Amino acid sequence: MKIYSILLVFAVLLALPAQAQKFDGGIATYQSKTSFDMNNFGGREMSEQMKKQIAERMKSRLEKTFTLSFSKDESIYEEEEKLEAPGAGGGMRFMGGGFSQGGIYKNIADDVYARQNELMGKTFLVKDTLAKLDWKLEKESKMIGQYAAFKATAVRKTEQNPWEALRRNRNAQADTTATEAPKEMVITAWYTPQIPVSQGPDEYWGLPGLILEVNAGPTVILCNKIVINPQSGLEIEMPGKGDEVSREEYEKIVAEKTKEMSERMGGGRGGFGRGRG
């Protein structure tokens, strides 16, 4: 095991001079997959055929492809556009509106985070400082493609989102003994010093090398392609449209809208997807 680690370090040292000669940025492609427990959404009451049908409809939302366009200081993480299956619709649909999120912009030099979101027909520009994680650099290493990657871990508070809010509301009404979801989760990331930028997918950043893989609860994000110094396609621009709000302000708005929808849907008993056009 020690010999393998030494070889990884040696590979990194050989590669660093070549990377350091010239760096104008890069584009990394990531595959994101999120597992989905049907039992948390009333799946115990569904037939296997119904579970299978819902799983197929959910697949496009749970398995996505993203690109990270990055330079030393800036990056933007965007979902690749693709044709929706008939009747699938875009984003998460509520009665009377939708919920969708734009690309994540990060500027490490200026400590700026920005994201343009659509919520029930209204556009918001969520702008704030970068979310910082207290990374712990571990001793483990492995190869991801042609890159030597090293492990890092951090603990993060779990986020509240519309899906989770409706699920909890439903469970609370159905079972007063239901336990709360854990309020913290361990994030595991794999980064490569061969690409010496502190960028990464989604909201992850802050390691001594590009983050190639993230394991965060039910979600796995894995890089499968990197183009350094691309001749075209490297466009990094901070979103600028919408009513500007902080993260905290936006979370309060989402919570309020979610509560409204939960009440309209009879406390979540009607399930998702009603009111689709």
Side-chain angles (χ1 to χ4, degrees):
M1 190 67 178
K2 289 183 178 180
I3 295 176
Y4 181 66
S5 298
I6 292 172
L7 289 174
L8 281 173
V9 173
F10 185 65
V12 171
L13 292 175
L14 285 176
L16 284 176
Q19 297 286 353
Q21 289 177 7
K22 181 184 178 183
F23 177 74
D24 293 328
I27 299 175
T29 304
Y30 294 83
Q31 297 294 326
S32 174
K33 292 187 178 182
T34 302
S35 59
F36 181 76
D37 187 353
M38 289 294 299
N39 291 329
N40 287 335
F41 291 84
R44 295 183 181 91
E45 305 166 6
M46 298 179 186
S47 66
E48 290 302 318
Q49 182 179 0
M50 185 178 293
K51 287 182 183 180
K52 185 176 180 181
Q53 290 175 348
I54 293 176
E56 286 297 320
R57 294 184 67 180
M58 292 293 295
K59 185 175 180 180
S60 63
R61 296 191 178 106
L62 299 177
E63 298 181 10
K64 297 183 178 183
T65 301
F66 293 85
T67 56
L68 178 73
S69 300
F70 63 91
S71 63
K72 180 181 178 182
D73 295 328
E74 294 181 283
S75 69
I76 188 159
Y77 184 68
E78 299 175 294
E79 183 180 353
E80 283 192 353
E81 293 184 5
K82 61 181 179 181
L83 292 175
E84 293 281 357
M92 178 180 177
R93 289 291 175 186
F94 288 118
M95 292 171 64
F99 172 80
S100 64
Q101 296 178 304
I104 296 174
Y105 171 85
K106 301 191 291 285
N107 187 317
I108 294 173
D110 296 335
D111 192 18
V112 172
Y113 163 95
R115 188 171 197 173
Q116 184 176 305
N117 293 343
E118 302 288 336
L119 180 64
M120 294 186 178
K122 192 170 183 179
T123 302
F124 293 92
L125 176 62
V126 184
K127 193 173 180 181
D128 214 318
T129 55
L130 292 168
K132 299 174 178 64
L133 290 174
D134 186 14
W135 291 108
K136 178 184 177 183
L137 304 185
E138 309 286 357
K139 295 180 180 180
E140 296 176 50
S141 57
K142 65 179 181 179
M143 295 298 294
I144 297 180
Q146 65 185 34
Y147 295 96
F150 296 85
K151 184 178 179 180
T153 58
V155 176
R156 187 189 72 185
K157 291 183 179 180
T158 55
E159 298 176 6
Q160 180 84 350
N161 58 56
W163 291 62
E164 182 67 11
L166 285 173
R167 183 189 70 79
R168 290 187 184 182
N169 182 280
R170 180 189 178 98
N171 286 351
Q173 292 188 352
D175 183 6
T176 56
T177 64
T179 57
E180 282 289 321
K183 295 181 180 180
E184 292 183 338
M185 71 166 63
V186 176
I187 309 298
T188 300
W190 295 86
Y191 67 95
T192 177
Q194 289 175 249
I195 304 178
V197 299
S198 294
Q199 303 287 357
D202 205 85
E203 297 194 13
Y204 302 104
W205 67 284
L207 286 168
L210 180 67
I211 298 174
L212 302 181
E213 181 179 334
V214 175
N215 291 268
T219 300
V220 176
I221 305 172
L222 180 62
C223 180
N224 59 14
K225 181 181 179 182
I226 300 175
V227 178
I228 299 297
N229 300 330
Q231 295 182 354
S232 62
L234 184 60
E235 298 179 2
I236 305 174
E237 185 176 347
M238 183 173 69
K241 296 181 180 180
D243 294 346
E244 187 172 323
V245 292
S246 66
R247 268 198 194 89
E248 185 177 355
E249 291 169 335
Y250 183 69
E251 287 171 1
K252 288 181 179 178
I253 294 170
V254 171
E256 291 172 0
K257 296 298 184 183
T258 300
K259 184 179 179 181
E260 289 177 15
M261 291 314 307
S262 180
E263 292 172 353
R264 291 185 192 179
M265 296 165 67
R269 289 188 297 273
F272 300 105
R274 285 191 173 185
R276 295 190 181 193

